[in-house]
Amino acid sequence: MAEKILMKTPLVEMDGDEMTRILWKMIKDILILPYVDLKTEYYDLGMKHRDDTDDQVTVDSALATKKYGVAVKCATITANAARVKEYELKKMWASPNGTIRAILDGTVFRKPIMVKGIRPLIPTWEKPITIARHAYGDIYKNSEIRVEGPAKAELVVTGADGKEIRRTIMDFQDAGIVQGIYNTDKSIRNFARSCFNYALEQKEDLWFATKDTVSKIYDHRFKDIFQEIYDTAYKEKFEAAGIEYFYTLIDDVVARVVRSQGGMIWACKNYDGDVMSDMMATAFGSLAMMTSVLVSPDGCYEYEAAHGTVQRHYYRYLKGEKTSTNPVATLFAWTGALRKRGQLDGLKDLVDFADRLEKATLQTLEEGIMTGDLMAVSTLPSKKKVNSEEFLEAIRERLEER
Ligand code: NAP
Ligand code: MG
């Protein structure tokens, strides 16, 4: 047996819930621990432990990510009424992803894993399209009022000095609805920096679009901030890297994306990103093949799968069934984190290992060995359905050959 690959700085390891927690352990046992002298700082974000610690563990894991710079996260339950009952929770805890994102102030980049046999629904897409969603403000932090009858709706901003700015939104003659939304320059700036940094790192063009022709102050502010930061801090770096920053209208960008070959990062305002990331996941074939990384403006990275805890499979697992749950996105969260750690610490062996493990995974899929979800979408002429553990063992065989 060859020597294990050494690490310098620990990864922040955020364990999670249900079926993905089972996959988490399998991935480590079968594909990582035999090869890497794994150093992690472990945080158990499982529902029970979040409840036991009054969710302090989530905050601590985010602070550790700030300290070390790289984290890998398992999918976690977002508590709702049913979960409060199921786990006898003290309260309906906030979404861990929301808590972590608020502390790191980052942007989430979602990128599909492309593999032979799983064709995107858009035939021209040859390369993955990454969606960067600004996950702050806009309609997600709105104030809404139902107007019951004739009324005057106004927008009022009162300065710290008491000075008022007032605009009439609508003189309602009858019933209707009204909504107020906001964003902050600081958050938009951080969003822009995260996008420019990520584009440079991936060496991919960055596209950004809003509806600035209609929203001449609100959306226009997004456009201006991106342009200003690009011109002052990134233009030269982009030119040196041979990549492009491109702004256009949201309508135009949708049409261009559909006609494109892919291979770019598409930065979206909050709502656009919410909607478009679901469309992308479907169009690229599978939510189980979508990776996600949170990048903070000061360069911290948290890798995870885009899907949830796969609850339905977990209940079958609890009954003793060996489920065929797809571990690829969770595995790629690990390889993403290990590679980044290796790059930051100058550990070529670790970077190479992450590359090899990803290649072995794609090779396994391309040889027709896959989990049930992919059987339904794969166009390979001969394919075989295996359970999660058999799939990971098949990857291991191919990894050993490399
Ligand atoms: P989900 O876990 O993504 O699963 C929805 C369905 O998609 C599954 O039932 C399964 O379909 C299919 N699927 C998703 N991932 C798969 C995989 N890796 N392999 C095979 N099939 C896969 O979404 P959910 O059931 O709506 O949510 C479950 C829990 O996850 C919730 O408590 C939610 O709060 C949480 N969640 C967490 C995150 C996160 O931590 N980032 C994100 C989303 C949701 P079939 O049953 O038809 O096979
Ligand atoms: Mg959505």
Side-chain angles (χ1 to χ4, degrees):
M1 186 85 200
E3 296 258 313
K4 285 191 190 182
I5 296 161
L6 295 179
M7 291 180 65
K8 254 188 226 160
T9 318
L11 279 180
V12 178
E13 176 181 354
M14 305 172 176
D15 207 345
D17 286 301
E18 299 195 310
M19 201 59 220
T20 39
R21 188 180 180 101
I22 308 299
L23 295 178
W24 192 259
K25 183 165 186 314
M26 281 186 200
I27 289 169
K28 281 173 64 181
D29 287 346
I30 299 173
L31 291 173
I32 296 175
L33 292 173
Y35 307 101
V36 179
D37 192 16
L38 187 67
K39 267 194 187 175
T40 73
E41 199 165 289
Y42 179 84
Y43 293 86
D44 182 0
L45 268 56
M47 192 70 254
K48 179 83 181 65
H49 194 243
R50 273 183 279 145
D51 194 52
D52 287 345
T53 61
D54 292 338
D55 211 21
Q56 186 60 38
V57 66
T58 308
V59 173
D60 290 345
S61 72
L63 294 175
T65 307
K66 266 192 165 232
K67 177 174 164 195
Y68 293 114
V70 187
V72 55
K73 179 179 171 291
C74 179
T76 46
I77 290 169
T78 298
N80 57 15
R83 300 299 198 162
V84 171
K85 231 171 147 187
E86 183 183 355
Y87 287 84
E88 296 174 349
L89 302 178
K90 294 179 204 160
K91 61 180 256 197
M92 202 185 290
W93 301 107
S95 143
N97 286 37
T99 302
I100 294 165
R101 208 157 52 209
I103 292 171
L104 294 179
D105 195 7
T107 298
V108 174
F109 297 84
R110 279 184 160 201
K111 185 173 199 167
I113 301 160
M114 289 181 79
V115 64
K116 203 166 70 197
I118 301 171
R119 289 295 311 165
L121 297 175
I122 306 276
T124 52
W125 289 353
E126 296 295 337
K127 289 181 245 167
I129 298 171
T130 303
I131 297 269
R133 173 179 171 192
H134 182 217
Y136 178 83
D138 300 352
I139 60 163
Y140 302 85
K141 291 277 179 193
N142 66 2
S143 306
E144 303 182 315
I145 299 174
R146 161 85 173 125
V147 179
E148 301 287 353
K152 181 175 182 175
E154 290 179 290
L155 190 60
V156 183
V157 174
T158 313
D161 58 1
K163 242 195 179 149
E164 273 187 6
I165 306 171
R166 212 172 258 273
R167 300 255 184 291
T168 299
I169 298 172
M170 176 70 180
D171 272 312
F172 285 97
Q173 303 304 312
D174 208 338
I177 40 186
V178 63
Q179 149 173 269
I181 59 171
Y182 72 90
N183 224 297
T184 65
D185 281 14
K186 177 169 178 252
S187 175
I188 301 168
R189 284 211 172 88
N190 283 342
F191 174 46
R193 274 190 213 102
S194 296
C195 290
F196 289 129
N197 285 337
Y198 193 73
L200 277 174
E201 187 201 289
Q202 299 285 310
K203 291 210 174 15
E204 287 179 340
D205 291 346
L206 177 69
W207 294 9
F208 181 44
T210 71
K211 194 72 181 175
D212 65 284
T213 46
V214 170
S215 173
K216 291 185 168 53
I217 293 177
Y218 197 104
D219 276 19
H220 215 286
R221 189 76 196 127
F222 280 82
K223 177 183 176 180
D224 287 346
I225 286 176
F226 265 70
Q227 195 61 49
E228 171 205 309
I229 292 180
Y230 178 70
D231 289 342
T232 53
Y234 290 95
K235 196 167 188 295
E236 281 163 24
K237 290 181 196 157
F238 268 51
E239 281 165 5
I243 58 172
E244 190 190 16
Y245 167 61
F246 169 67
Y247 177 88
T248 184
L249 273 179
I250 185 76
D251 327 45
D252 183 43
V253 91
V254 169
R256 283 174 188 261
V257 163
V258 170
R259 283 197 308 265
S260 78
Q261 295 195 319
M264 82 296 274
I265 297 158
W266 178 9
C268 294
K269 283 182 64 200
N270 208 348
Y271 174 82
D272 298 338
D274 184 349
V275 177
M276 291 305 164
S277 57
D278 283 327
M279 191 189 73
M280 285 298 169
T282 309
F284 272 99
S286 171
L287 188 59
M289 295 290 281
M290 185 67 85
T291 61
S292 181
V293 56
L294 174 72
V295 183
S296 77
D298 54 353
C300 296
Y301 292 76
E302 182 236 301
Y303 294 83
E304 65 171 329
H307 60 77
T309 61
V310 211
Q311 183 183 17
R312 282 203 291 267
H313 292 215
Y314 181 59
Y315 290 159
R316 298 211 305 266
Y317 167 86
L318 288 180
K319 286 186 191 143
E321 186 184 324
K322 284 192 184 286
T323 69
S324 183
T325 316
N326 189 340
V328 171
T330 303
L331 174 56
F332 273 57
W334 274 99
T335 52
L338 289 170
R339 179 185 296 107
K340 176 55 72 182
R341 196 63 272 169
Q343 287 166 346
L344 292 176
D345 290 351
L347 301 173
K348 189 172 177 300
D349 284 354
L350 195 58
V351 175
D352 289 347
F353 173 75
D355 290 343
R356 273 202 308 280
L357 184 47
E358 288 185 0
K359 287 199 180 107
T361 306
L362 299 180
Q363 185 191 342
T364 307
L365 291 168
E366 293 181 350
E367 288 176 12
I369 300 170
M370 60 190 76
T371 46
D373 56 312
L374 296 183
M375 287 295 282
V377 288
S378 170
T379 58
L380 290 183
S382 80
K383 48 194 171 180
K384 181 178 165 212
K385 177 179 165 178
V386 292
N387 66 40
S388 303
E389 201 174 336
E390 291 164 340
F391 180 68
L392 294 171
E393 289 292 354
I395 296 173
R396 178 166 172 167
E397 276 170 35
R398 284 152 187 83
L399 180 66
E400 294 276 346
E401 286 163 14
R402 284 165 190 268

